[in-house]
Amino acid sequence: MRVLKRFPVRLSDRPDHELVGVIRMPELTVSPLRSILKRIIGAMLALLATVLIVYLDRDGYRDANGDGLSFLDSLYYATVSLSTTGYGDIAPATSSARLVNVLVITPLRVLFLIVLVGTTLEVLTERSRQAFKIQKWRTKVRDHTVVVGFGTKGRSAVNALLGDENVEPDHIVVVDTDQQALEAATSLGLVTVHGSATRADVLRVAGVQRAKAVVVAPNRDDTAVLVTLTARELAPKAHIVASVREAENVHLLKQSGANQVVVSSETAGRLLGMATSTPLVVDMVEDLLTPESGLAIAERPVEPSEEGGSPRHLPDIVLGVVRDGVLYRVDAPQADAIEPGDKLLYIRKVTAAETIER
């Protein structure tokens, strides 16, 4: 008999519960004491519900004493039933013994069950919660940002998005193969996907086809080219920003579909060279690139009262004018007069003025 070979199902075609471990949703940290208290409260609620059910239907139960079921009998029956204990040759017969069983022995059984099976139940519950959150996230995620690589460059990009752009953490998806990097991203409240972004399936799981922007920040230039090609094929309208180490690879990223390319090695080299002769200039540049303090470069729409005027006469320090997606420096002829629909690149004050010390 011929056996048909089964090919592996694509990652993006797997059901949501099979993506637990691939996609990780951010979780709120809960103290162990609070977690135990929640379990105990749940157990007590289940016990109370069982007692009420037994007591309301007490005529359907028979006691060995033959005197019918009291509320205490119902409580005793519920505790024995929920704890799966069951008595045979030895059973409490007096009310005091049963009361002790309810007040002392049963809490001990509950604590024993928590210690014995608590970890297993927590794992099962966690997987179910994660599967539900993954399903909900995949159906609703739109216009998010996918960050490929959570190394030094990827973390800096995320910090800029969280600080300057005011992007919500759950609207940032980090794709990486390093588990420690993904743990660091999860601690910031980000959604993470474990896998290589060179695979189209992994990017589909990250929802890149519905993403607003993609940040490509791997450690290798050839990886950046392949990721950019794959991302552009899946998301023709997304804004892709890529980082490379060598300037000679910029044209490859542009041809692959990157909207903007940042040369990390040359930028760092220029700052190092400037620091030898004009170190304070480097301090000011770092201040402008730090969104959470000092000064920052920002973009804002033009106000109606500013239309027709010169950007050089505004109270803000304007660096450039963005018109129809094209940036004109403030000293360019096209930027002499502000037109409706323009946007301004300006220097925004984030915190109070302070002295930059070396």
Side-chain angles (χ1 to χ4, degrees):
M1 183 176 65
R2 183 180 179 184
V3 180
L4 296 177
K5 184 178 179 181
R6 296 185 62 184
F7 292 93
V9 180
R10 293 191 308 174
L11 194 63
S12 56
D13 294 335
R14 293 183 183 179
D16 296 320
H17 68 272
E18 291 188 8
L19 295 177
V20 176
V22 178
I23 301 177
R24 184 172 179 181
M25 306 299 296
E27 289 284 348
L28 296 176
T29 57
V30 180
S31 65
L33 179 60
R34 184 176 179 183
S35 179
I36 292 175
L37 288 176
K38 288 175 64 177
R39 294 178 186 176
I40 294 176
I41 291 173
M44 293 300 102
L45 291 176
L47 176 62
L48 179 60
T50 305
V51 172
L52 292 177
I53 292 173
V54 173
Y55 185 71
L56 291 175
D57 193 28
R58 57 187 179 277
D59 294 337
Y61 293 85
R62 293 292 180 269
D63 189 7
N65 297 330
D67 55 355
L69 264 68
S70 64
F71 184 80
L72 181 60
D73 294 330
S74 301
L75 184 59
Y76 165 73
Y77 179 83
T79 57
V80 172
S81 300
L82 290 184
S83 60
T84 65
T85 303
Y87 290 102
D89 55 342
I90 300 176
T94 64
S95 298
S96 60
R98 293 184 175 184
L99 185 61
V100 170
N101 188 279
V102 171
L103 297 179
V104 178
I105 298 178
T106 297
L108 292 177
R109 290 196 195 103
V110 173
L111 292 176
F112 176 77
L113 291 174
I114 290 174
V115 174
L116 184 65
V117 301
T119 303
T120 303
L121 291 176
E122 185 176 1
V123 170
L124 294 175
T125 304
E126 174 65 18
R127 289 187 64 87
S128 300
R129 265 203 324 265
Q130 283 283 324
F132 176 75
K133 293 180 71 174
I134 288 172
Q135 179 184 15
K136 183 178 179 181
W137 175 79
R138 293 185 71 188
T139 56
K140 292 187 176 182
V141 64
R142 296 288 188 281
D143 296 330
H144 58 295
T145 301
V146 178
V147 178
V148 177
F150 202 65
T152 302
K153 294 177 290 186
R155 296 186 188 196
S156 299
V158 168
N159 290 334
L161 289 171
L162 295 176
D164 192 34
E165 301 297 330
N166 295 321
V167 178
E168 294 296 329
D170 58 356
H171 273 61
I172 300 177
V173 183
V174 173
V175 182
D176 207 315
T177 56
D178 187 354
Q179 193 61 45
Q180 290 185 347
L182 296 179
E183 291 287 345
T186 302
S187 66
L188 295 176
L190 312 179
V191 180
T192 62
V193 175
H194 183 270
S196 174
T198 58
R199 295 176 51 192
D201 261 4
V202 174
L203 291 180
R204 286 194 187 96
V205 169
V208 73
Q209 62 274 21
R210 298 183 298 273
K212 177 179 67 174
V214 181
V215 177
V216 182
N219 294 324
R220 295 169 55 96
D221 287 3
D222 54 350
T223 304
V225 173
L226 184 54
V227 171
T228 303
L229 276 170
T230 308
R232 179 52 72 199
E233 181 182 7
L234 296 175
K237 297 181 179 180
H239 187 80
I240 299 180
V241 182
S243 171
V244 292
R245 293 177 178 270
E246 305 298 333
E248 62 185 15
N249 295 324
V250 172
H251 73 285
L252 295 176
L253 268 298
K254 290 283 189 180
Q255 292 175 0
S256 301
N259 298 97
Q260 289 178 300
V261 181
V262 178
V263 184
S264 58
S265 60
E266 286 198 358
T267 302
R270 282 194 292 268
L271 291 176
L272 289 173
M274 292 169 59
T276 60
S277 56
T278 55
L280 292 179
V281 174
V282 177
D283 290 338
M284 181 55 68
V285 171
E286 290 182 347
D287 183 28
L288 291 173
L289 295 177
T290 306
E292 63 271 8
S293 63
L295 302 174
I297 301 176
E299 181 183 280
R300 69 171 178 84
V302 172
E303 298 178 2
S305 60
E306 298 171 341
E307 296 175 1
S310 172
R312 292 185 289 271
H313 297 158
L314 297 178
D316 295 325
I317 302 176
V318 179
L319 302 177
V321 177
V322 180
R323 182 176 299 146
D324 298 328
V326 180
L327 173 62
Y328 298 102
R329 225 168 55 183
V330 70
D331 58 347
Q334 294 88 342
D336 286 340
I338 300 175
E339 299 180 2
D342 287 350
K343 294 182 180 180
L344 301 179
L345 290 183
Y346 71 106
I347 296 179
R348 178 170 61 93
K349 182 172 67 173
V350 180
T351 57
E354 58 183 17
T355 303
I356 299 177
E357 298 181 356
R358 295 196 56 78

